Amino acid sequence: RLVVNNFSATATTSYKSLFEGCSSLVEIPLKDIPTYITDISYMYKDCTNLQSANGMVFGENLVSYEGIFEGCENLIQANNMVVKGNYYNTIFRNWKGVRYINNLLISFVGRSMNFSNMFEGCSDLMEFSFHNDSYVKEVISMDYMFKGTNISSIDITNVNLEKLISAKYLFTESNMTSITFKLPTTISSIQGLLSNCPNLEEIHDVAFEKHLSNCTDWITGSPIKVLRNCTVESDIIPFQNITTLTTIDNMTWKYRNIGGKFYGCTGLETVTINITDQVTTAFIDGKGTFENCTSLREIDFTESDLSNLRQFDRMFYGDSSLTTIKNFKVTNPNATCGNEVLTECPINNTD
């Protein structure tokens, strides 16, 4: 095992290829990159048994850092790192093998910071989190930040991202099978958020906030089957025509309009949903909510507040497999439904 103590190289500005080819290394022997070093390219290249880069501190004056861990296919841990320079957005790209980057401290202070494409090419990355003291309040974009990774769970609400407005294509082309995430409430665009993730089948514990203004193609090309414990406060989040969707489990709907929101989800089989009308002076529009969900067998409205439901024409129209509706209680005397609410539905159990 290689041990480095009291290492000093003040006569140079380069650590380039310093430990290249040291195949016996398991963890990095030199963690702190001092301010006088500007080049760490290929520093640990082809350290084939390297497993941990935990605690590495990148100095503020780095200029060259390509291929730091090139060929380190067994490098798994990169936790508790510190990034001091303005290269924060590019230094992590294409780190193959790394699965865990947790407690990352960004100490660089800048304006209009951009985290776009930050971990692009980190195809094995499964977990990420910020250190509580990371300076991120000037970040305005996280577009494509985790493109092509394997992230399955992420919560970045522990840091101040007060100016963040865009998370377009945040997880696009990633390889996870399920995901749960918490994003700041400042975000207005999630265009392409989970698009083209070929293995993604389940979304858990996600809140779609009311401030969203752009959800275009947020899930296009991903074979989503299950939405579980999700909350919807936005009128524009589209679920229509997601033909792979089979299960909606314990969804909370907090917006007055649910009309047509699940239209054409032809693979949808079971739904449990709690509709809560938080705008008491408005009415709930339920027109065509589950229209043409031809595989839908059972729906349970659980504890839904439907006291302001005013329209539910064609709510279950064309649901040719629907046999059971539970807890659907319409108490508004002014509610209208026409005569096509249950057209083609073989109902045999209602509550």
Side-chain angles (χ1 to χ4, degrees), residues 282-295:
F283 63 85
I284 301 176
D285 176 7
K287 187 175 182 179
T289 303
F290 296 100
E291 185 172 347
N292 287 334
C293 295
T294 53
S295 299

Side-chain angles (χ1 to χ4, degrees), residues 8 50 128-129 134 139 154 163 169 239 283 324 331 339 343:
S8 178
L50 189 64
F128 171 82
S129 64
S134 280
V139 175
I154 187 168
K163 295 185 179 179
Y169 298 93
F239 297 102
F283 63 85
T324 303
T331 59
N339 59 2
T343 298

Side-chain angles (χ1 to χ4, degrees), residues 101-316:
I101 302 178
N102 285 309
N103 208 36
L104 174 64
L105 176 58
I106 305 290
S107 62
F108 174 77
V109 176
R111 303 181 69 178
S112 298
M113 294 170 68
N114 192 331
F115 283 177
S116 297
N117 302 86
M118 192 170 186
F119 299 103
E120 184 173 346
C122 298
S123 55
D124 297 299
L125 183 61
M126 297 172 59
E127 288 185 12
F128 171 82
S129 64
F130 283 118
H131 186 286
N132 288 342
D133 296 328
S134 280
Y135 185 85
V136 294
K137 72 175 185 178
E138 294 290 335
V139 175
I140 58 174
S141 173
M142 287 184 171
D143 297 350
Y144 298 92
M145 185 173 177
F146 298 102
K147 178 183 177 182
T149 66
N150 200 20
I151 289 284
S152 60
S153 177
I154 187 168
D155 183 349
I156 54 175
T157 57
N158 64 309
V159 290
N160 180 8
L161 287 158
E162 61 186 47
K163 295 185 179 179
L164 179 65
I165 57 173
S166 182
K168 292 188 292 187
Y169 298 93
L170 183 65
F171 304 106
T172 190
E173 298 177 20
S174 293
N175 301 306
M176 62 287 201
T177 58
S178 65
I179 192 167
T180 176
F181 57 86
K182 282 189 175 182
L183 299 178
T185 57
T186 53
I187 293 176
S188 60
S189 177
I190 58 169
Q191 179 180 350
L193 181 77
L194 291 164
S195 61
N196 299 312
C197 298
N199 304 312
L200 182 59
E201 295 187 351
E202 300 194 9
I203 299 175
H204 299 171
D205 303 288
V206 172
F208 299 96
E209 305 285 350
K210 59 186 176 182
H211 53 274
L212 292 175
S213 60
N214 184 359
C215 303
T216 307
D217 296 326
W218 76 283
I219 209 168
T220 299
S222 299
I224 298 299
K225 292 183 178 179
V226 178
L227 297 172
R228 179 167 288 123
N229 300 325
C230 293
T231 301
V232 179
E233 296 186 54
S234 171
D235 182 39
I236 71 165
I237 188 76
F239 297 102
Q240 299 95 332
N241 298 307
I242 303 178
T243 57
T244 56
L245 185 63
T246 63
T247 305
I248 297 174
D249 181 22
N250 196 34
M251 175 175 280
T252 301
W253 192 279
K254 292 185 176 182
Y255 195 81
R256 63 183 178 272
N257 179 20
I258 195 172
K261 293 304 180 183
F262 300 97
Y263 178 94
C265 292
T266 54
L268 186 59
E269 298 176 0
T270 60
V271 175
T272 55
I273 189 169
N274 180 18
I275 302 172
T276 303
D277 182 15
Q278 296 193 329
V279 187
T280 56
T281 59
F283 63 85
I284 301 176
D285 176 7
K287 187 175 182 179
T289 303
F290 296 100
E291 185 172 347
N292 287 334
C293 295
T294 53
S295 299
L296 185 60
R297 303 192 312 268
E298 179 177 326
I299 181 167
D300 188 348
F301 286 90
T302 61
E303 299 177 356
S304 293
D305 177 8
L306 301 176
S307 58
N308 283 329
L309 181 63
R310 290 282 297 275
Q311 297 179 7
F312 57 108
D313 299 354
R314 300 171 69 97
M315 194 169 195
F316 310 104

